Amino acid sequence: MIRLRRALLSPETTELLKGYTDDIRQQATEQERKARAKALWANRRQVRPALVTALAEMAPGRERCMYCGDGQGTDIDHFEPKSLAPLRTFDWLNHLLACSFCNSNQKRNLFPTAADGSPLLVDPTVEDPLDHLRLVLPLGTYRGLTDRGRACIEVFGLNARAVLVKGRTDAYATARHSIELWRIAMDKGQRDKAAEIVRVAWTRPLIDVLVAMFHQSGHPAADALFVGEEEVLDLLRDSELRSAFLYFRGLSY
């Protein structure tokens, strides 16, 4: 998971969403609100194209799942499930793009909360998941830094799905190659080639690996985190390289 910026919807779409929410709010009981929310969402043809377009614009890689970062984002997921919060069914701030596996097999209607009722899952459009999760780069596995990070690992199966773990270790190798090739291209004055390397690096699946690399290179314990990878760490600390790669995603690690 990586930090994402929430896109703005058109006034027309915003008004349509408000109308649906008002319709749900007018129902007399919570059970009726849930039934009405379910029915309206099943017939969301008027707003789905605009929602999908905006979510795809926000998504990591090329329209990848906002949870695992690997699968194609095909589903509009409700961060707080509509079965628990029907009034948030058409709340744009409650919509995320997910792959069908994360949405239907992993998260489903799960929404763990802390003792005070606050959500344990991390919404990547509200806060930085890296405050709660650390990727162990050589292993391709996540370590929970907080209860919320651990909840994300469990609910989304971030370490339990072998395809994700193997994918991250491969993505780490690919990302290392990308920054090496970028440095070579720049040293040769091939700026267009260098720019293409940056673009391609950020459109691959599992770009949480690349984000984690830059994030961890600035950590006080970076030398320990990149033990045996000193050349990679030196490249990640290169101010020119950091500017080129991080500017592309609007990051400031």
Side-chain angles (χ1 to χ4, degrees), residues 170-180 201 204 209-210 213 245:
D170 290 345
Y172 185 36
T174 301
R176 293 200 307 270
H177 295 156
S178 293
I179 62 175
E180 290 165 358
R204 292 191 179 106
V209 173
L210 188 56
M213 289 169 67
F245 274 81

Side-chain angles (χ1 to χ4, degrees), residues 4-253:
L4 302 170
R5 293 183 177 181
R6 176 72 60 176
L8 295 177
L9 296 177
S10 69
E12 293 78 13
T13 301
T14 300
E15 192 62 27
L16 283 171
L17 295 178
K18 181 179 180 300
Y20 286 128
T21 300
D22 289 343
D23 187 327
I24 297 167
R25 184 179 287 111
Q26 289 170 11
Q27 306 307 306
T29 67
E30 185 68 6
Q31 196 59 38
E32 288 175 336
R33 291 190 190 100
K34 291 180 180 180
R36 186 57 175 162
K38 183 177 180 180
L40 288 173
W41 186 253
N43 293 281
R44 60 191 182 278
R45 289 184 296 273
Q46 276 191 293
V47 293
R48 178 177 166 78
L51 295 179
V52 170
T53 297
L55 288 169
E57 176 189 328
M58 295 159 49
R62 185 175 285 111
E63 300 182 20
R64 295 292 163 178
C65 174
M66 293 178 176
Y67 296 125
C68 72
D70 187 29
Q72 182 183 359
T74 55
D75 298 359
I76 300 175
D77 175 64
H78 293 85
F79 178 69
E80 187 172 3
K82 57 183 180 292
S83 60
L84 301 178
L87 284 175
R88 299 202 70 194
T89 299
F90 290 91
D91 180 355
W92 169 233
L93 300 182
N94 196 43
H95 296 160
L96 295 174
L97 190 69
C99 65
S100 60
F101 195 90
C102 279
N103 189 33
S104 301
N105 292 68
Q106 291 292 147
K107 183 170 180 278
R108 305 184 303 279
N109 287 326
L110 297 176
F111 194 66
T113 56
D116 63 359
S118 61
L120 282 176
L121 296 182
V122 176
D123 180 346
T125 69
V126 174
E127 57 190 317
D128 195 334
L130 294 184
D131 291 338
H132 305 278
L133 294 159
R134 177 176 296 156
L135 179 59
V136 183
L137 291 163
L139 302 181
T141 56
Y142 272 103
R143 179 177 300 162
L145 302 177
T146 65
D147 288 343
R148 301 180 67 195
R150 287 183 282 274
C152 289
I153 291 171
E154 181 178 354
V155 169
F156 299 114
L158 297 182
N159 292 339
R161 295 152 66 182
V163 66
L164 290 181
V165 175
K166 181 60 168 65
R168 292 188 204 107
T169 59
D170 290 345
Y172 185 36
T174 301
R176 293 200 307 270
H177 295 156
S178 293
I179 62 175
E180 290 165 358
L181 290 173
W182 182 92
R183 186 69 270 172
I184 292 170
M186 288 297 291
D187 289 346
K188 291 181 177 180
Q190 299 171 335
R191 292 185 173 274
D192 288 345
K193 182 176 181 178
E196 181 69 1
I197 290 168
V198 172
R199 185 192 67 79
V200 172
W202 285 118
T203 55
R204 292 191 179 106
L206 297 166
I207 64 168
D208 53 332
V209 173
L210 188 56
V211 171
M213 289 169 67
F214 281 108
H215 183 261
Q216 293 181 27
S217 69
H219 193 278
D223 290 338
L225 294 172
F226 288 90
V227 64
E229 298 278 3
E230 288 77 12
E231 292 183 7
V232 172
L233 181 56
D234 287 342
L235 281 170
L236 290 168
R237 286 171 166 171
D238 182 312
S239 60
E240 188 178 27
L241 183 144
R242 290 180 69 85
S243 177
F245 274 81
L246 297 182
Y247 177 79
F248 189 89
R249 282 291 305 187
L251 299 172
S252 58
Y253 294 126

